[in-house]
Amino acid sequence: MDVLIQLLERLLHAVGQLFANPFYYIGVLFIVLHYRKQIQMERKLFHTRLHSLLNETWRTVFWGWIGGLCASVLLLFVGVNIQFDVVILLWVITVILVLLRVRFLCLAYAVGILGVAQVILSWIPDMASLKETLPMLDIVRHADIPSLLAIVAVLHLLEGMLTHFQGARMATPLFLEGKRGQIIGGQQLQGFWPVPLFLLVPLTGGSDISLPWTTLFGANLASGWTLLAFPAMIGFTELTISKLPRKQARSSANLLYLYGIILLAAAVAAHFWSAIVLLGALLSIVLHEGLIRYNQWMEEKQIPFYVHSTRGLMVLSVVPNSPAQEIGIQTGEIIHKVNGYKIKTKSDLHLAMGLNSAFCKLEILNEEGEVRFLQRAIFNGDHHQLGIILAPDQEALYFTEHRPVHLFSYLRGKLTGLLKNDSTKSM
C-alpha cells in the first residue's frame, strides 16, 4: 500500500512536469494543424468535410493519454534509465528532423541517431577536451541507449494497437495519379498521437520505499526512485490503392508489432552486451524505413482497386451522418443499379436518382460480389448523392500528388502537391 501511495504521489508530480513541458503542447499543436490541413484537402476534393477538427483532436489526445498510461505501466517493469536532459535532446533532434520530413516525427529516428552518435563518440580519443567545448556531448555519451530503444519498442507496440483498432476510421479518401496517368482512388491512413509517458527512473533521495518487484533491466532503484514525465509522439502514414482501410490497418498493425518485438529484443541484448548498441540504434532507423518502403513496394505491384468498372461505380467513401452511412453503404462497394436503372457513369447515377425524387432504391455489390438491396426516402436537405463519395473518373478536377514533404509544405495553408488535371501545379 505504501508503494502505491508513493507511486500516486510521484505520478501527480510527473503530471505537473508534463504540463510544464512545452514539447507536449508542440505535439498537440501539430495534431490540430494536421487535422486542419486534412479538412482543407477534403473540402477541396469532395466539397465537404469527413472529419471534425474538434472531435478528432479531442479523440487523439484522449487515446494518447490512455495509451501513454498503459505503456507507462508496462515500462514500470522494464526499469529504464533516462534523464531529463536526454528527453530535451531527443525532442530537439526530433524537431530538426521533422523540418526535413514529416514522417521523422517518430521517436525511432531520434533515438537511432543518438545511439549512433554515442558509439561514434566512444571511438574518438581525448573526449575530455571535446566535452569542455561542447557540453552536449556529455549528454550524448551518458544516455542509456538500451532504455531508449525499449521505450521506442513499447511505443510501437502501442502504435500497432491504436492502428489496429482506430486506423480504418482515420482513413482519408484521395484522388491520385496512377502509373499510366489515369486518375484513381486511394485511401490514406494517417494518425498521430501525443503520448505522455511516466517513466520509473532511479534518483538519489527520490524515495525511501523499495519496489516489491524486480525490473527487467535491473535499474538501480535501491537508493531511490521517482517518475519522470516524457512527452512522446507516435504516428503512422500509409497509402493504399489496392486494399480496404480495415485490411490496410490490420496489415500495418502486424508490421508494427513485429518491429516493436524485434527492437525490444535488441534493447534487452544491448543492455547486457554493449557491443549490440550500434546494431540496435541502426535497427531503430533501418527497420522503420523498411516498413515504409515495404508498403510502397507492395502497393506498386497491386492493381488499383478504387476504380469504376462495367459492374457500376466504386464507392470511395461516405460522408459521416449522411443517408449513405445510415443505410449501410460502405467503402469498396459498387453501386450497380439505382431505381432499377443500371449505373455505368456518374451521369447515369444522376439520371437514375432523378427518376424518383422522393425515394431511392439501390442494388449494391459488396466486396464478395453479392447483391445488397437498400432503400431510403429522400428529404429536402439530404446530402448530394446521399453522401456517397465516388472514385474519380478522368474528368476529376484535382488529384493529390503523393510525395515526401517537409513540415512547412505539409502544414501551410495552400495544399502542396494538389494538382489540376491539366498537369499544371496549383501552387
Side-chain angles (χ1 to χ4, degrees):
M1 182 62 70
D2 290 338
V3 173
L4 180 59
I5 293 174
Q6 283 272 335
L7 281 172
L8 291 176
E9 290 177 352
R10 303 297 180 198
L11 178 60
L12 290 176
H13 179 70
V15 170
Q17 284 183 338
L18 177 75
F19 288 130
N21 192 318
F23 291 110
Y24 178 72
Y25 299 102
I26 290 175
V28 175
L29 177 62
F30 176 84
I31 297 297
V32 173
L33 295 176
H34 161 69
Y35 282 115
R36 175 179 173 270
K37 177 248 182 186
Q38 182 172 309
I39 291 171
Q40 286 179 335
M41 183 182 66
E42 291 168 354
R43 289 188 182 280
K44 188 75 171 181
L45 288 175
F46 312 120
H47 308 291
T48 188
R49 68 176 187 178
L50 305 180
H51 297 85
S52 164
L53 178 61
L54 181 60
N55 290 342
E56 295 301 326
T57 301
W58 180 89
R59 179 191 53 79
T60 299
V61 173
F62 172 77
W63 282 108
W65 270 87
I66 296 297
L69 292 174
C70 293
S72 298
V73 171
L74 178 59
L75 289 168
L76 286 177
F77 300 93
V78 175
V80 298
N81 184 14
I82 184 173
Q83 294 78 35
F84 182 72
D85 52 6
V86 175
V87 174
I88 298 300
L89 179 58
L90 285 173
W91 266 98
V92 170
I93 296 173
T94 300
V95 170
I96 294 173
L97 289 175
V98 80
L99 293 176
L100 304 176
R101 289 289 183 269
V102 174
R103 72 172 187 273
F104 293 159
L105 185 63
C106 179
L107 187 63
Y109 297 99
V111 169
I113 290 173
L114 188 62
V116 172
Q118 185 184 85
V119 173
I120 293 175
L121 289 178
S122 68
W123 296 338
I124 299 177
D126 195 21
M127 275 295 301
S129 59
L130 285 176
K131 287 191 294 183
E132 293 178 0
T133 307
L134 295 171
M136 185 182 65
L137 296 181
D138 195 46
I139 302 176
V140 175
R141 188 179 181 186
H142 290 95
D144 191 325
I145 301 302
S147 291
L148 295 175
L149 291 174
I151 293 172
V152 172
V154 171
L155 284 175
H156 279 79
L157 292 174
L158 171 62
E159 184 180 328
M161 293 181 62
L162 291 173
T163 301
H164 183 89
F165 292 106
Q166 296 190 13
R169 72 173 303 279
M170 301 171 73
T172 297
L174 296 177
F175 293 172
L176 303 165
E177 184 178 22
K179 296 179 182 178
R180 301 176 181 177
Q182 77 275 27
I183 310 301
I184 61 176
Q187 300 284 346
Q188 185 171 33
L189 281 65
Q190 190 172 57
F192 299 95
W193 296 272
V195 176
L197 293 178
F198 303 101
L199 306 175
L200 181 69
V201 297
L203 180 67
T204 302
S207 174
D208 56 359
I209 300 176
S210 60
L211 296 173
W213 64 82
T214 302
T215 58
L216 175 64
F217 282 6
N220 183 20
L221 303 173
S223 61
W225 54 268
T226 189
L227 292 177
L228 174 68
F230 182 2
M233 283 289 295
I234 60 174
F236 77 106
T237 301
E238 297 284 4
L239 176 68
T240 180
I241 62 171
S242 62
K243 293 190 285 293
L244 294 173
R246 67 175 184 276
K247 292 185 177 181
Q248 181 63 40
R250 191 161 52 241
S251 174
S252 299
N254 291 336
L255 291 175
L256 288 168
Y257 292 146
L258 180 62
Y259 174 86
I261 292 172
I262 293 174
L263 199 61
L264 185 58
V268 174
H271 174 75
F272 292 103
W273 187 23
S274 59
I276 301 293
V277 168
L278 179 59
L279 176 61
L282 291 175
L283 284 176
S284 179
I285 299 174
V286 174
L287 282 182
H288 202 278
E289 282 293 294
L291 296 182
I292 298 172
R293 304 300 179 188
Y294 175 77
N295 181 70
Q296 293 175 346
W297 176 68
M298 289 296 293
E299 285 297 316
E300 288 174 357
K301 299 193 305 179
Q302 304 301 317
I303 298 174
F305 174 70
Y306 297 100
V307 293
H308 304 308
S309 68
T310 54
R311 296 187 299 167
L313 299 182
M314 169 65 66
V315 177
L316 184 61
S317 186
V318 296
V319 177
N321 303 316
S322 65
Q325 186 182 64
E326 178 186 322
I327 60 179
I329 296 177
Q330 300 179 15
T331 297
E333 294 187 322
I334 294 175
I335 302 176
H336 181 58
K337 289 184 178 181
V338 174
N339 292 327
Y341 190 85
K342 188 171 181 180
I343 305 300
K344 294 182 179 179
T345 66
K346 291 182 180 180
S347 298
D348 292 340
L349 176 62
H350 297 154
L351 177 63
M353 291 187 68
L355 295 177
N356 190 337
S357 60
F359 204 79
C360 187
K361 294 183 178 180
L362 300 96
E363 294 183 28
I364 304 293
L365 302 180
N366 63 15
E367 185 182 358
E368 290 76 26
E370 300 172 346
V371 179
R372 296 201 303 133
F373 297 93
L374 305 174
Q375 59 184 13
R376 188 188 186 278
I378 299 177
F379 304 101
N380 288 333
D382 276 349
H383 195 279
H384 174 61
Q385 293 181 173
L386 303 178
I388 300 171
I389 296 177
L390 298 171
D393 55 23
Q394 300 312 301
E395 297 179 358
L397 294 178
Y398 297 97
F399 63 91
T400 302
E401 182 185 33
H402 188 71
R403 57 186 175 86
V405 295
H406 55 77
L407 180 64
F408 298 117
S409 293
Y410 182 78
L411 294 178
R412 70 183 184 179
K414 290 186 177 181
L415 298 180
T416 301
L418 197 62
L419 306 180
K420 273 200 170 182
N421 201 6
D422 60 2
S423 298
T424 62
K425 287 191 176 184
S426 175
M427 298 296 291

mmCIF file of all heavy atoms in Angstrom, residues 24 58-74 158 161-162 166 193-198 234:
data_model
loop_
_atom_site.group_PDB
_atom_site.id
_atom_site.type_symbol
_atom_site.label_atom_id
_atom_site.label_comp_id
_atom_site.label_asym_id
_atom_site.label_seq_id
_atom_site.Cartn_x
_atom_site.Cartn_y
_atom_site.Cartn_z
ATOM 1 N N TYR A 24 5.167 18.954 -25.069
ATOM 2 C CA TYR A 24 3.867 18.292 -25.125
ATOM 3 C C TYR A 24 2.878 19.148 -25.903
ATOM 4 O O TYR A 24 2.112 18.636 -26.731
ATOM 5 C CB TYR A 24 3.339 18.019 -23.717
ATOM 6 C CG TYR A 24 1.972 17.381 -23.715
ATOM 7 C CD1 TYR A 24 1.807 16.056 -24.100
ATOM 8 C CD2 TYR A 24 0.831 18.108 -23.376
ATOM 9 C CE1 TYR A 24 0.550 15.464 -24.118
ATOM 10 C CE2 TYR A 24 -0.427 17.524 -23.393
ATOM 11 C CZ TYR A 24 -0.556 16.200 -23.772
ATOM 12 O OH TYR A 24 -1.806 15.631 -23.804
ATOM 13 N N TRP A 58 -9.737 16.022 -29.922
ATOM 14 C CA TRP A 58 -10.066 15.511 -28.590
ATOM 15 C C TRP A 58 -9.854 14.011 -28.514
ATOM 16 O O TRP A 58 -9.290 13.500 -27.551
ATOM 17 C CB TRP A 58 -11.517 15.841 -28.261
ATOM 18 C CG TRP A 58 -11.940 15.342 -26.908
ATOM 19 C CD1 TRP A 58 -11.847 15.984 -25.722
ATOM 20 C CD2 TRP A 58 -12.517 14.052 -26.618
ATOM 21 N NE1 TRP A 58 -12.328 15.201 -24.699
ATOM 22 C CE2 TRP A 58 -12.735 14.010 -25.215
ATOM 23 C CE3 TRP A 58 -12.858 12.948 -27.384
ATOM 24 C CZ2 TRP A 58 -13.285 12.895 -24.579
ATOM 25 C CZ3 TRP A 58 -13.398 11.832 -26.751
ATOM 26 C CH2 TRP A 58 -13.615 11.833 -25.365
ATOM 27 N N ARG A 59 -10.305 13.285 -29.546
ATOM 28 C CA ARG A 59 -10.168 11.828 -29.551
ATOM 29 C C ARG A 59 -8.693 11.423 -29.562
ATOM 30 O O ARG A 59 -8.279 10.502 -28.843
ATOM 31 C CB ARG A 59 -10.878 11.240 -30.770
ATOM 32 C CG ARG A 59 -10.772 9.729 -30.873
ATOM 33 C CD ARG A 59 -11.272 9.256 -32.233
ATOM 34 N NE ARG A 59 -10.617 9.961 -33.312
ATOM 35 C CZ ARG A 59 -9.398 9.665 -33.737
ATOM 36 N NH1 ARG A 59 -8.701 8.712 -33.155
ATOM 37 N NH2 ARG A 59 -8.860 10.335 -34.735
ATOM 38 N N THR A 60 -7.899 12.126 -30.351
ATOM 39 C CA THR A 60 -6.482 11.796 -30.449
ATOM 40 C C THR A 60 -5.764 12.026 -29.121
ATOM 41 O O THR A 60 -4.977 11.187 -28.671
ATOM 42 C CB THR A 60 -5.836 12.648 -31.552
ATOM 43 O OG1 THR A 60 -6.464 12.363 -32.806
ATOM 44 C CG2 THR A 60 -4.354 12.360 -31.667
ATOM 45 N N VAL A 61 -6.030 13.163 -28.498
ATOM 46 C CA VAL A 61 -5.396 13.451 -27.209
ATOM 47 C C VAL A 61 -5.860 12.453 -26.152
ATOM 48 O O VAL A 61 -5.050 11.964 -25.337
ATOM 49 C CB VAL A 61 -5.710 14.898 -26.775
ATOM 50 C CG1 VAL A 61 -5.215 15.158 -25.354
ATOM 51 C CG2 VAL A 61 -5.064 15.890 -27.738
ATOM 52 N N PHE A 62 -7.151 12.120 -26.160
ATOM 53 C CA PHE A 62 -7.691 11.182 -25.175
ATOM 54 C C PHE A 62 -7.024 9.812 -25.294
ATOM 55 O O PHE A 62 -6.553 9.251 -24.291
ATOM 56 C CB PHE A 62 -9.210 11.048 -25.361
ATOM 57 C CG PHE A 62 -9.835 9.974 -24.522
ATOM 58 C CD1 PHE A 62 -10.067 10.180 -23.169
ATOM 59 C CD2 PHE A 62 -10.188 8.753 -25.093
ATOM 60 C CE1 PHE A 62 -10.652 9.176 -22.391
ATOM 61 C CE2 PHE A 62 -10.769 7.751 -24.320
ATOM 62 C CZ PHE A 62 -10.996 7.968 -22.963
ATOM 63 N N TRP A 63 -6.972 9.268 -26.506
ATOM 64 C CA TRP A 63 -6.372 7.950 -26.686
ATOM 65 C C TRP A 63 -4.863 8.001 -26.492
ATOM 66 O O TRP A 63 -4.249 6.984 -26.134
ATOM 67 C CB TRP A 63 -6.736 7.380 -28.052
ATOM 68 C CG TRP A 63 -8.133 6.844 -28.067
ATOM 69 C CD1 TRP A 63 -9.225 7.378 -28.694
ATOM 70 C CD2 TRP A 63 -8.606 5.677 -27.392
ATOM 71 N NE1 TRP A 63 -10.342 6.628 -28.455
ATOM 72 C CE2 TRP A 63 -9.996 5.568 -27.660
ATOM 73 C CE3 TRP A 63 -7.992 4.708 -26.592
ATOM 74 C CZ2 TRP A 63 -10.760 4.526 -27.152
ATOM 75 C CZ3 TRP A 63 -8.767 3.671 -26.087
ATOM 76 C CH2 TRP A 63 -10.124 3.589 -26.369
ATOM 77 N N GLY A 64 -4.257 9.158 -26.735
ATOM 78 C CA GLY A 64 -2.838 9.306 -26.415
ATOM 79 C C GLY A 64 -2.588 9.132 -24.924
ATOM 80 O O GLY A 64 -1.627 8.470 -24.511
ATOM 81 N N TRP A 65 -3.476 9.715 -24.099
ATOM 82 C CA TRP A 65 -3.358 9.568 -22.650
ATOM 83 C C TRP A 65 -3.611 8.127 -22.218
ATOM 84 O O TRP A 65 -2.864 7.580 -21.377
ATOM 85 C CB TRP A 65 -4.325 10.508 -21.941
ATOM 86 C CG TRP A 65 -3.710 11.844 -21.644
ATOM 87 C CD1 TRP A 65 -3.675 12.932 -22.474
ATOM 88 C CD2 TRP A 65 -3.028 12.220 -20.446
ATOM 89 N NE1 TRP A 65 -3.018 13.967 -21.865
ATOM 90 C CE2 TRP A 65 -2.609 13.569 -20.623
ATOM 91 C CE3 TRP A 65 -2.729 11.563 -19.258
ATOM 92 C CZ2 TRP A 65 -1.910 14.258 -19.647
ATOM 93 C CZ3 TRP A 65 -2.027 12.245 -18.274
ATOM 94 C CH2 TRP A 65 -1.621 13.577 -18.470
ATOM 95 N N ILE A 66 -4.649 7.503 -22.756
ATOM 96 C CA ILE A 66 -4.938 6.107 -22.404
ATOM 97 C C ILE A 66 -3.761 5.213 -22.779
ATOM 98 O O ILE A 66 -3.295 4.378 -21.975
ATOM 99 C CB ILE A 66 -6.216 5.618 -23.104
ATOM 100 C CG1 ILE A 66 -7.436 6.422 -22.619
ATOM 101 C CG2 ILE A 66 -6.428 4.130 -22.860
ATOM 102 C CD1 ILE A 66 -7.730 6.267 -21.147
ATOM 103 N N GLY A 67 -3.252 5.376 -23.985
ATOM 104 C CA GLY A 67 -2.112 4.581 -24.428
ATOM 105 C C GLY A 67 -0.859 4.873 -23.629
ATOM 106 O O GLY A 67 -0.089 3.963 -23.291
ATOM 107 N N GLY A 68 -0.652 6.164 -23.304
ATOM 108 C CA GLY A 68 0.527 6.531 -22.525
ATOM 109 C C GLY A 68 0.517 5.919 -21.134
ATOM 110 O O GLY A 68 1.552 5.447 -20.636
ATOM 111 N N LEU A 69 -0.642 5.904 -20.484
ATOM 112 C CA LEU A 69 -0.740 5.305 -19.155
ATOM 113 C C LEU A 69 -0.507 3.796 -19.213
ATOM 114 O O LEU A 69 0.172 3.225 -18.346
ATOM 115 C CB LEU A 69 -2.100 5.616 -18.538
ATOM 116 C CG LEU A 69 -2.341 7.095 -18.171
ATOM 117 C CD1 LEU A 69 -3.785 7.298 -17.702
ATOM 118 C CD2 LEU A 69 -1.370 7.544 -17.084
ATOM 119 N N CYS A 70 -1.053 3.148 -20.239
ATOM 120 C CA CYS A 70 -0.839 1.701 -20.392
ATOM 121 C C CYS A 70 0.633 1.393 -20.646
ATOM 122 O O CYS A 70 1.202 0.459 -20.054
ATOM 123 C CB CYS A 70 -1.693 1.157 -21.539
ATOM 124 S SG CYS A 70 -3.477 1.210 -21.225
ATOM 125 N N ALA A 71 1.273 2.175 -21.536
ATOM 126 C CA ALA A 71 2.692 1.961 -21.809
ATOM 127 C C ALA A 71 3.541 2.239 -20.572
ATOM 128 O O ALA A 71 4.532 1.547 -20.317
ATOM 129 C CB ALA A 71 3.131 2.857 -22.973
ATOM 130 N N SER A 72 3.137 3.233 -19.780
ATOM 131 C CA SER A 72 3.887 3.564 -18.564
ATOM 132 C C SER A 72 3.823 2.421 -17.557
ATOM 133 O O SER A 72 4.817 2.126 -16.878
ATOM 134 C CB SER A 72 3.338 4.853 -17.944
ATOM 135 O OG SER A 72 3.480 5.950 -18.831
ATOM 136 N N VAL A 73 2.653 1.778 -17.449
ATOM 137 C CA VAL A 73 2.525 0.627 -16.542
ATOM 138 C C VAL A 73 3.458 -0.491 -16.987
ATOM 139 O O VAL A 73 4.152 -1.115 -16.167
ATOM 140 C CB VAL A 73 1.063 0.137 -16.498
ATOM 141 C CG1 VAL A 73 0.969 -1.181 -15.744
ATOM 142 C CG2 VAL A 73 0.180 1.188 -15.837
ATOM 143 N N LEU A 74 3.510 -0.746 -18.294
ATOM 144 C CA LEU A 74 4.404 -1.785 -18.809
ATOM 145 C C LEU A 74 5.862 -1.441 -18.532
ATOM 146 O O LEU A 74 6.652 -2.302 -18.125
ATOM 147 C CB LEU A 74 4.172 -1.967 -20.306
ATOM 148 C CG LEU A 74 5.061 -2.993 -21.021
ATOM 149 C CD1 LEU A 74 4.891 -4.376 -20.406
ATOM 150 C CD2 LEU A 74 4.747 -3.034 -22.514
ATOM 151 N N LEU A 158 2.367 -0.071 -28.844
ATOM 152 C CA LEU A 158 1.168 0.736 -28.600
ATOM 153 C C LEU A 158 0.615 1.293 -29.906
ATOM 154 O O LEU A 158 -0.605 1.272 -30.143
ATOM 155 C CB LEU A 158 1.501 1.873 -27.632
ATOM 156 C CG LEU A 158 0.422 2.947 -27.434
ATOM 157 C CD1 LEU A 158 -0.836 2.339 -26.837
ATOM 158 C CD2 LEU A 158 0.954 4.074 -26.549
ATOM 159 N N MET A 161 -1.358 -1.267 -31.713
ATOM 160 C CA MET A 161 -2.702 -1.465 -31.155
ATOM 161 C C MET A 161 -3.645 -0.346 -31.598
ATOM 162 O O MET A 161 -4.785 -0.602 -32.007
ATOM 163 C CB MET A 161 -2.626 -1.526 -29.639
ATOM 164 C CG MET A 161 -1.902 -2.740 -29.092
ATOM 165 S SD MET A 161 -1.867 -2.778 -27.287
ATOM 166 C CE MET A 161 -3.629 -2.876 -26.931
ATOM 167 N N LEU A 162 -3.181 0.907 -31.531
ATOM 168 C CA LEU A 162 -4.025 2.022 -31.943
ATOM 169 C C LEU A 162 -4.335 1.954 -33.430
ATOM 170 O O LEU A 162 -5.459 2.254 -33.859
ATOM 171 C CB LEU A 162 -3.330 3.345 -31.601
ATOM 172 C CG LEU A 162 -3.211 3.677 -30.113
ATOM 173 C CD1 LEU A 162 -2.346 4.917 -29.908
ATOM 174 C CD2 LEU A 162 -4.578 3.888 -29.480
ATOM 175 N N GLN A 166 -8.083 1.701 -34.563
ATOM 176 C CA GLN A 166 -8.564 3.017 -34.990
ATOM 177 C C GLN A 166 -8.113 3.406 -36.390
ATOM 178 O O GLN A 166 -8.599 4.401 -36.934
ATOM 179 C CB GLN A 166 -8.082 4.091 -34.007
ATOM 180 C CG GLN A 166 -8.635 3.938 -32.611
ATOM 181 C CD GLN A 166 -8.331 5.160 -31.755
ATOM 182 O OE1 GLN A 166 -7.914 6.207 -32.248
ATOM 183 N NE2 GLN A 166 -8.540 5.036 -30.468
ATOM 184 N N TRP A 193 -0.500 10.548 -32.443
ATOM 185 C CA TRP A 193 -0.982 10.637 -31.068
ATOM 186 C C TRP A 193 0.107 11.226 -30.170
ATOM 187 O O TRP A 193 1.238 10.717 -30.158
ATOM 188 C CB TRP A 193 -1.346 9.250 -30.522
ATOM 189 C CG TRP A 193 -2.475 8.577 -31.212
ATOM 190 C CD1 TRP A 193 -3.806 8.681 -30.921
ATOM 191 C CD2 TRP A 193 -2.403 7.666 -32.316
ATOM 192 N NE1 TRP A 193 -4.550 7.903 -31.758
ATOM 193 C CE2 TRP A 193 -3.721 7.265 -32.631
ATOM 194 C CE3 TRP A 193 -1.340 7.142 -33.071
ATOM 195 C CZ2 TRP A 193 -3.999 6.378 -33.658
ATOM 196 C CZ3 TRP A 193 -1.614 6.268 -34.091
ATOM 197 C CH2 TRP A 193 -2.927 5.897 -34.385
ATOM 198 N N PRO A 194 -0.193 12.285 -29.421
ATOM 199 C CA PRO A 194 0.745 12.747 -28.385
ATOM 200 C C PRO A 194 0.602 11.844 -27.158
ATOM 201 O O PRO A 194 -0.472 11.758 -26.569
ATOM 202 C CB PRO A 194 0.274 14.180 -28.100
ATOM 203 C CG PRO A 194 -1.177 14.186 -28.460
ATOM 204 C CD PRO A 194 -1.388 13.130 -29.517
ATOM 205 N N VAL A 195 1.669 11.152 -26.801
ATOM 206 C CA VAL A 195 1.620 10.135 -25.750
ATOM 207 C C VAL A 195 2.448 10.587 -24.552
ATOM 208 O O VAL A 195 3.670 10.715 -24.648
ATOM 209 C CB VAL A 195 2.159 8.788 -26.271
ATOM 210 C CG1 VAL A 195 2.190 7.754 -25.149
ATOM 211 C CG2 VAL A 195 1.312 8.292 -27.433
ATOM 212 N N PRO A 196 1.816 10.848 -23.414
ATOM 213 C CA PRO A 196 2.572 11.174 -22.198
ATOM 214 C C PRO A 196 3.031 9.899 -21.494
ATOM 215 O O PRO A 196 2.217 9.063 -21.122
ATOM 216 C CB PRO A 196 1.559 11.943 -21.345
ATOM 217 C CG PRO A 196 0.228 11.414 -21.775
ATOM 218 C CD PRO A 196 0.362 10.975 -23.213
ATOM 219 N N LEU A 197 4.336 9.745 -21.361
ATOM 220 C CA LEU A 197 4.895 8.610 -20.637
ATOM 221 C C LEU A 197 5.343 9.052 -19.248
ATOM 222 O O LEU A 197 5.862 10.166 -19.085
ATOM 223 C CB LEU A 197 6.096 8.024 -21.388
ATOM 224 C CG LEU A 197 5.813 7.360 -22.736
ATOM 225 C CD1 LEU A 197 7.121 6.880 -23.355
ATOM 226 C CD2 LEU A 197 4.837 6.206 -22.590
ATOM 227 N N PHE A 198 5.156 8.191 -18.269
ATOM 228 C CA PHE A 198 5.617 8.446 -16.902
ATOM 229 C C PHE A 198 6.536 7.287 -16.522
ATOM 230 O O PHE A 198 6.079 6.177 -16.232
ATOM 231 C CB PHE A 198 4.423 8.572 -15.954
ATOM 232 C CG PHE A 198 3.458 9.652 -16.377
ATOM 233 C CD1 PHE A 198 2.282 9.333 -17.044
ATOM 234 C CD2 PHE A 198 3.743 10.991 -16.137
ATOM 235 C CE1 PHE A 198 1.408 10.328 -17.459
ATOM 236 C CE2 PHE A 198 2.871 11.988 -16.548
ATOM 237 C CZ PHE A 198 1.705 11.657 -17.206
ATOM 238 N N ILE A 234 3.750 9.470 -31.379
ATOM 239 C CA ILE A 234 3.751 8.293 -32.242
ATOM 240 C C ILE A 234 2.785 8.573 -33.385
ATOM 241 O O ILE A 234 1.866 9.375 -33.266
ATOM 242 C CB ILE A 234 3.345 7.007 -31.494
ATOM 243 C CG1 ILE A 234 1.929 7.132 -30.906
ATOM 244 C CG2 ILE A 234 4.348 6.682 -30.401
ATOM 245 C CD1 ILE A 234 1.428 5.844 -30.281
#
